[in-house]
Amino acid sequence: MTMAPHLPDLFKKQDWTTDDLDSLPEGLRYELIDGRLILPSPTGFHQILSAKLALALEPNCPTGYVSVPDLSLEIDRRNEPRPDVVVVHERYMFRTPVPIDGALLVMEVVSPTSHFRDMNAKVEIYAAAGVSSYWVVDPTVDGDMLMTVFERNEAGQYERVAGTSKVFSTDVPYPITIDLPALTALRDKYLAAREDA
């Protein structure tokens, strides 16, 4: 019988694989990025923003696809990311992690500690895995919330096709509209409540 490691012991290991994940305590929220174990602890606003983005992606989902928050993706032995929102085929609704080839669109919400991963490491990982659309929403910037849109080109690399803080509408990978000013206003409301407390 293998004992689950204590949490402090988790940080001693340097190079994780998906085989090592079975040793984690049950129910622990994690991501595996380039062999690094990450234990995210999102704020309430991060979770609300992810839920609102998942709802915004839902209306025109292609038949057989659904928008899901906080779902692990199976990529390779050193990568099992857990994006904030993913549009996946409905055949995977009772499976985790979901095979990456079932992902139509992946979205990440930047937190103060995830900016480099979301804008660099995950760009490379998702592009190499064949995900055609990768979007990053950054609520941590001063001023308006910023969304960066990456699309995979014929060479298999992501190209930055949009960066905006306005209402964003596209037909790729299907018709979607994201009201970034409304999300910025929601963030600012919660920031003001924090300052008033």
Side-chain angles (χ1 to χ4, degrees):
M1 175 182 221
T2 303
M3 296 289 290
H6 292 92
L7 284 179
D9 295 337
L10 296 178
F11 302 106
K12 292 178 184 174
K13 185 168 176 56
Q14 296 298 311
D15 195 25
W16 287 75
T17 69
T18 52
D19 295 335
D20 300 319
L21 298 177
D22 290 337
S23 69
L24 294 176
E26 191 172 323
L28 185 67
R29 191 176 190 275
Y30 67 85
E31 282 192 296
L32 184 62
I33 304 296
D34 290 330
R36 288 188 55 228
L37 183 67
I38 297 155
L39 304 175
S41 181
T43 65
F45 176 70
H46 187 105
Q47 297 296 73
I48 287 170
L49 182 55
S50 297
K52 291 199 175 287
L53 290 166
L55 290 172
L57 297 178
E58 191 66 32
N60 296 311
C61 265
T63 302
Y65 284 84
V66 63
S67 172
V68 182
D70 196 33
L71 184 65
S72 294
L73 297 175
E74 179 181 278
I75 295 181
D76 58 38
R77 293 191 73 236
R78 298 185 73 238
N79 290 288
E80 190 177 298
R82 188 175 186 143
D84 294 304
V85 183
V86 62
V87 177
V88 294
H89 198 277
E90 62 188 14
R91 69 179 168 263
Y92 297 122
M93 287 304 94
F94 293 97
R95 178 174 174 178
T96 187
V98 170
I100 192 68
D101 63 358
L104 182 62
L105 166 66
V106 170
M107 287 187 84
E108 293 286 1
V109 174
V110 172
S111 67
T113 59
S114 74
H115 190 272
F116 181 82
R117 279 191 311 274
D118 294 340
M119 293 300 290
N120 295 283
K122 289 182 181 179
V123 169
E124 293 179 17
I125 291 166
Y126 291 135
V131 177
S132 61
S133 297
Y134 174 54
W135 299 1
V136 180
V137 175
D138 189 349
T140 67
V141 295
D142 290 334
D144 297 333
M145 195 174 300
L146 179 66
M147 185 167 78
T148 305
V149 175
F150 296 95
E151 296 294 332
R152 199 164 178 262
N153 62 24
E154 291 181 9
Q157 303 295 314
Y158 279 140
E159 292 180 9
R160 183 178 179 265
V161 297
T164 187
S165 58
K166 311 266 187 245
V167 173
F168 176 74
S169 293
T170 186
D171 288 327
V172 177
Y174 59 91
I176 300 169
T177 298
I178 305 287
D179 188 344
L180 290 161
L183 297 175
T184 299
L186 182 63
R187 178 202 62 192
D188 293 347
K189 172 188 163 188
Y190 291 132
L191 285 173
R194 177 184 72 178
E195 291 165 3
D196 290 344

